[in-house]
Amino acid sequence: MVAKRKQKQRIILPPELPPEVSEDEIEVSDEDRDFVDQNREYAGFLSTLDTQSITKHVTRVADVKEDALEALYEKRLKRKSLHKEKEDPGVQVDRVDALPVKTLDGQLYYRTATKASKASENDPTEEEASGAADKSIVKLTKAERRAKLKKSKKEAKKQGKEAEPEVEQTPQEAVLAEVKEDLTTEEAFESKKNKLAELGIALLADPASNIKSLKEILQICKDNNHAIVKLGLLSLLAVFKDLIPGYRIRLPTEKELEMKVSKDVKKMRLYESTLLSVYKAYLQKLAALEKQSSFQHVAFRCICTLLDAAPHFNYRESLLGVVIRNIGSPDDVVRKLCCSSIKSLFTNEGKHGGEATVEAVRLIADHVKAHNCQLHPDSVEVFLSLSFDEDLGRAARNDEKHKPQSKKSKKKKHYEEARQLKENDKKRSRQELLTKTREEVAADYKAVALAPDVMERRGMQTEALSAVFETYFRILKHTMQSSASRSEANASLSTGASEPHPLLAPCLKGLGKFSHLIDMDFMGDLINYLKKLASGGSDSENTSKCLTVSERLRCCIVAFKVMKSNLDALNVDLQDFFVQLYNIILEYRPGRDQGEVLAEALKIMLCEDRQHDMQKAAAFVKRLATFSLCSGSAESMAALVTLKHLLLKNVKCRNLLENDAGGGSVSGSVAVSSHANICFMIFNELEPAASLHF
């Protein structure tokens, strides 16, 4: 049994020893030598090693004869040779002499060369050449071999950096690569969209913990894809509308940062500083993108929405500057967005306490001045959304009257108190304490009170109103100067009407609305300006062409509104405005001019006039009767209703209705009486129309 087990045991040959290298070919670096010299005590055993006994011990095989061992070694060599021939039919190039090639799968392989034919192997010329080459080789020293090896390594590194092996792609591979790129771009777009949604939801769910996600969303806004940038801007807009607090953030000073505070205070400071820094970077990004056509509408939508939602927050000045700079933009979308945000700012003063209104009005005034009154009418029409206290001027005058009285009373009180304090020191100290406590309580109450201070509100409204009237008077002055220069230029040329003034119509509307707030010192100058614009001065034939019929009618309307609101303080003759209205009625053209302006002028100047002048009424009866026969239905209705009011107020003018050949005391021709008869026939039909028209 033991013999059978020994026969069945497999004989395992020892591994092959590494090839022997001569001492001349061994390269030892200087670092290795220094290490051995420093550690000779530990490396001394290397000199006494017996290599021959070690190799015998490694290569020996127990209980095997020498003939069997030789046969086993021969079999192993044959197997290796057969295996190499099957796997690698070519001759592999040395890895030191050639660089590897990387396939599309990411694998490295070394190039191989085919075996030379037997003819080439037996060619004597090649053998002679190889022999000559071998003879020409000179044996190098160790130093030269080291330098050569370093040089070869450097060259290999340079070649690897400069050029990589190019692999030619087939058409199918190119198409597949394009499809992969398209798929990757779509996947990247969807992944970024999902990431924006996740970050936004996390911020809205827990802003304090996820406040740093704002920086990630802002980083996504710098993407090359325009759609991703727009989504990122709108996402930040929604987040900021929800996160912005109801107060302005004040960053801590250096001294406050050095103080020890609780964890909650540190967390709040980090939250506020991060929110403010990202908000500032977001506004800078919007200001840069609003100049690009592809992002203009999105950028202005975000800017106007932020100004409407948070006018009290930090960096309001930058938002107002961008909006007012584009309030007269030729782009309708941008202009409407800017105008709507400014109107919302004027109507919702509770959000900012009136400070933003004053800033916006002042910026608009500067903007009109910089552009020499050549802007879109919407840029000044936003002033009509302003609201002022009715007793603003009256309250200011009352304050001026009461101020000196309060100073005198205070001086008297201080004088009396000083006399009493000299007599009694205890009362003095007690009185000082009482005054200090009262002042502190008043200051605390003012700081905590939700309602704005009356004096501060009055001061802000006064400043805004002065800026508004400054803009209106600048527009009137510019119109006067331009009309005078154009009338001189048109005096020698019989050309048509000149270019209209874009800001005059909204300016006149605003003057009519805020006429009761105009200072009495400027009232006379305003009436003179309006009279010149409506009449055209001495040379009315040329100057009247500079303004349209509607603009001249508005000048008359504003003059009468100013007089009506300040009737007790002013005593001005308005006869020139009646003359201009009498002349303008026949210049009116239904398709060219505005009918509602004519109807308003007739109502204010003729129907609501308190003066009863029979000659003036008779002249307008004749003119309105003539106008009603040669104009449209709407204009004729307005003229006839006005004519009815004139005849009802001026009874003597009814003589114009007589149809005899000689006429009455006022009428002088049959044509006038026929016109008046037409008016008399439709009196009863105009009762319901009168209420509708006015």
Side-chain angles (χ1 to χ4, degrees):
M1 293 294 290
V2 176
K4 288 180 181 180
R5 285 180 183 175
K6 286 182 180 180
Q7 289 178 0
K8 289 181 180 179
Q9 286 179 353
R10 187 178 177 183
I11 299 171
I12 300 172
L13 294 175
E16 292 183 357
L17 296 175
E20 294 183 1
V21 183
S22 61
E23 293 182 359
D24 297 335
E25 295 180 358
I26 297 173
E27 296 180 1
V28 182
S29 63
D30 297 335
E31 294 177 358
D32 295 339
R33 287 182 179 177
D34 295 338
F35 180 78
V36 173
D37 292 337
Q38 292 175 3
N39 301 282
R40 282 189 177 277
E41 297 178 358
Y42 305 102
F45 71 94
L46 296 173
S47 59
T48 59
L49 286 175
D50 188 1
T51 56
Q52 294 180 357
S53 60
I54 291 171
T55 52
K56 285 180 181 180
H57 183 73
V58 172
T59 56
R60 71 182 182 83
V61 180
D63 300 331
V64 180
K65 295 181 180 181
E66 293 181 0
D67 297 336
L69 279 173
E70 289 179 2
L72 290 172
Y73 279 118
E74 289 176 359
K75 285 181 182 180
R76 187 165 71 174
L77 290 172
K78 287 179 181 180
R79 288 174 186 170
K80 284 184 179 182
S81 60
L82 291 171
H83 187 65
K84 285 181 180 180
E85 289 177 359
K86 288 179 181 178
E87 287 185 354
D88 192 6
V91 180
Q92 190 174 6
V93 181
D94 190 2
R95 298 189 179 187
V96 178
D97 299 332
L99 292 172
V101 178
K102 189 174 183 180
T103 62
L104 294 173
D105 301 334
Q107 296 180 357
L108 296 173
Y109 72 91
Y110 292 86
R111 296 179 179 178
T112 57
T114 57
K115 288 185 178 180
S117 60
K118 292 181 180 180
S120 63
E121 289 177 0
N122 298 328
D123 192 357
T125 58
E126 292 182 0
E127 290 180 359
E128 289 177 1
S130 63
D134 294 338
K135 290 178 183 178
S136 64
I137 294 172
V138 181
K139 199 169 185 180
L140 301 175
T141 60
K142 289 184 180 180
E144 290 175 349
R145 272 180 282 172
R146 288 176 192 166
K148 187 177 180 181
L149 184 62
K150 289 180 181 179
K151 190 176 180 181
S152 63
K153 287 180 179 179
K154 288 181 181 179
E155 290 178 356
K157 287 181 180 179
K158 287 181 181 179
Q159 290 176 0
K161 290 180 180 179
E162 291 176 359
E164 293 182 356
E166 296 181 357
V167 181
E168 296 183 357
Q169 289 186 348
T170 60
Q172 293 83 359
E173 291 177 350
V175 173
L176 287 172
E178 291 179 0
V179 173
K180 286 181 180 178
E181 287 180 1
D182 295 338
L183 291 173
T184 51
T185 52
E186 290 180 2
E187 290 176 358
F189 181 75
E190 291 296 330
S191 64
K192 289 176 182 177
K193 280 177 62 178
N194 295 331
K195 189 175 182 181
L196 283 172
E198 291 174 0
L199 293 173
I201 292 170
L203 273 167
L204 296 177
D206 190 2
S209 302
N210 303 310
I211 191 64
K212 293 184 179 179
S213 300
L214 284 173
K215 295 181 179 179
E216 297 182 22
I217 301 177
L218 186 63
Q219 191 66 29
I220 294 174
C221 294
K222 299 177 182 179
D223 197 83
N224 296 325
N225 192 347
H226 288 186
I228 290 295
V229 174
K230 291 179 182 178
L231 288 174
L233 293 175
L234 294 174
S235 301
L236 278 175
L237 173 64
V239 170
F240 278 126
K241 282 179 65 179
D242 191 77
L243 295 186
I244 287 175
Y247 56 89
R248 292 176 67 91
I249 294 177
R250 185 187 68 83
L251 296 177
T253 59
E254 295 181 357
K255 291 182 179 180
E256 291 175 349
L257 291 172
E258 293 175 356
M259 297 170 61
K260 292 183 179 180
V261 294
S262 61
K263 292 182 179 179
D264 295 336
V265 175
K266 287 182 180 178
K267 191 175 181 180
M268 192 64 184
R269 284 181 179 177
L270 177 63
Y271 173 79
E272 290 182 346
S273 61
T274 307
L275 178 66
L276 197 60
S277 62
V278 178
Y279 184 70
K280 182 180 179 181
Y282 178 59
L283 295 184
Q284 292 174 351
K285 182 74 174 176
L286 291 175
L289 291 177
E290 59 95 3
K291 299 175 183 178
Q292 302 179 15
S293 59
S294 56
F295 298 105
Q296 191 177 30
H297 290 175
V298 177
F300 273 105
R301 180 183 171 187
C302 296
I303 290 171
C304 295
T305 307
L306 282 175
L307 183 60
D308 187 16
H312 63 279
F313 197 58
N314 302 60
Y315 308 114
R316 177 182 62 204
E317 297 80 8
S318 58
L319 289 173
L320 277 173
V322 174
V323 170
I324 292 173
R325 191 168 59 247
N326 295 274
I327 198 171
S329 174
D331 192 342
D332 294 339
V333 177
V334 174
R335 187 177 65 253
K336 287 179 181 178
L337 284 172
C338 295
C339 291
S340 62
S341 64
I342 294 298
K343 289 178 181 177
S344 175
L345 200 71
F346 290 163
T347 53
N348 301 318
E349 290 188 351
K351 294 182 179 180
H352 50 82
E355 296 177 359
T357 300
V358 178
E359 294 176 9
V361 171
R362 178 54 60 188
L363 287 173
I364 292 172
D366 296 339
H367 189 60
V368 171
K369 181 180 178 181
H371 287 79
N372 199 19
C373 303
Q374 297 300 316
L375 291 171
H376 196 275
D378 293 345
S379 57
V380 178
E381 198 171 356
V382 295
F383 286 159
L384 299 176
S385 301
L386 288 168
S387 60
F388 299 100
D389 295 337
E390 295 296 329
D391 57 343
L392 185 61
R394 203 182 310 151
R397 288 192 291 268
N398 292 335
D399 291 339
E400 291 178 357
K401 291 179 181 179
H402 288 298
K403 277 181 181 178
Q405 293 179 1
S406 62
K407 286 182 179 179
K408 288 180 181 179
S409 61
K410 285 183 180 179
K411 286 181 179 179
K412 289 180 180 179
K413 287 181 180 179
H414 284 301
Y415 181 71
E416 291 176 358
E417 288 176 0
R419 289 181 63 186
Q420 291 178 359
L421 292 172
K422 289 179 181 178
E423 297 176 357
N424 196 348
D425 293 337
K426 292 182 180 180
K427 291 183 179 180
R428 178 182 178 183
S429 60
R430 185 179 178 184
Q431 191 70 21
E432 288 179 355
L433 289 173
L434 285 173
T435 52
K436 285 182 180 179
T437 51
R438 285 172 183 171
E439 289 177 358
E440 291 176 357
V441 169
D444 294 339
Y445 179 76
K446 183 180 177 181
V448 176
L450 296 175
D453 189 18
V454 177
M455 296 300 296
E456 290 180 1
R457 175 177 171 78
R458 190 176 298 165
M460 288 188 291
Q461 285 197 346
T462 304
E463 187 177 354
L465 187 64
S466 63
V468 170
F469 283 129
E470 178 187 346
T471 306
Y472 287 159
F473 289 142
R474 178 175 284 110
I475 295 169
L476 290 176
K477 186 178 180 181
H478 178 267
T479 306
M480 288 283 298
Q481 293 174 353
S482 61
S483 62
S485 60
R486 287 170 184 171
S487 64
E488 292 176 0
N490 294 334
S492 59
L493 300 173
S494 59
T495 57
S498 60
E499 296 180 359
H501 306 278
L503 299 182
L504 183 60
C507 169
L508 295 173
K509 285 183 183 177
L511 287 172
K513 181 178 180 181
F514 304 122
S515 59
H516 61 286
L517 298 173
I518 300 175
D519 195 355
M520 297 299 297
D521 298 334
F522 304 105
M523 202 73 70
D525 296 335
L526 177 61
I527 295 296
N528 291 330
Y529 276 156
L530 294 173
K531 189 183 298 183
K532 290 179 181 179
L533 288 174
S535 62
S538 61
D539 193 5
S540 61
E541 294 180 358
N542 294 325
T543 311
S544 61
K545 295 180 181 179
C546 298
L547 299 179
T548 62
V549 172
S550 300
E551 290 172 346
R552 293 165 64 193
L553 286 172
R554 286 189 184 279
C555 292
C556 299
I557 292 169
V558 171
F560 272 79
K561 284 185 177 179
V562 170
M563 289 297 298
K564 185 178 179 181
S565 58
N566 300 279
L567 189 61
D568 300 332
L570 288 177
N571 187 14
V572 180
D573 186 13
L574 300 176
Q575 184 66 26
D576 293 336
F577 293 101
F578 285 111
V579 173
Q580 290 305 315
L581 178 63
Y582 185 82
N583 296 328
I584 290 171
I585 287 175
L586 291 183
E587 297 178 13
Y588 178 84
R589 296 294 180 271
R592 182 191 64 184
D593 303 318
Q594 299 176 4
E596 61 272 11
V597 179
L598 177 63
E600 187 179 0
L602 294 175
K603 177 185 176 183
I604 292 175
M605 297 178 68
L606 297 178
C607 297
E608 297 179 0
D609 187 20
R610 296 181 182 180
Q611 298 177 0
H612 300 281
D613 189 352
M614 187 182 65
Q615 293 181 354
K616 179 179 69 175
F620 274 104
V621 165
K622 178 182 176 181
R623 181 55 56 93
L624 290 173
T626 306
F627 174 75
S628 63
L629 295 176
C630 60
S631 59
S633 59
E635 291 82 3
S636 299
M637 185 71 70
L640 293 174
V641 170
T642 310
L643 193 148
K644 177 187 174 181
H645 280 281
L646 290 175
L647 292 174
L648 290 175
K649 285 197 298 184
N650 299 276
V651 180
K652 291 184 180 181
C653 290
R654 294 182 184 179
N655 292 328
L656 295 171
L657 302 176
E658 295 179 3
N659 202 15
D660 54 348
S665 61
V666 180
S667 62
S669 65
V670 178
V672 174
S673 62
S674 63
H675 292 168
N677 282 328
I678 294 171
C679 301
F680 180 74
M681 290 169 63
I682 59 173
F683 274 168
N684 296 326
E685 300 178 3
L686 293 179
E687 287 296 334
S691 60
L692 291 174
H693 218 58
F694 295 107

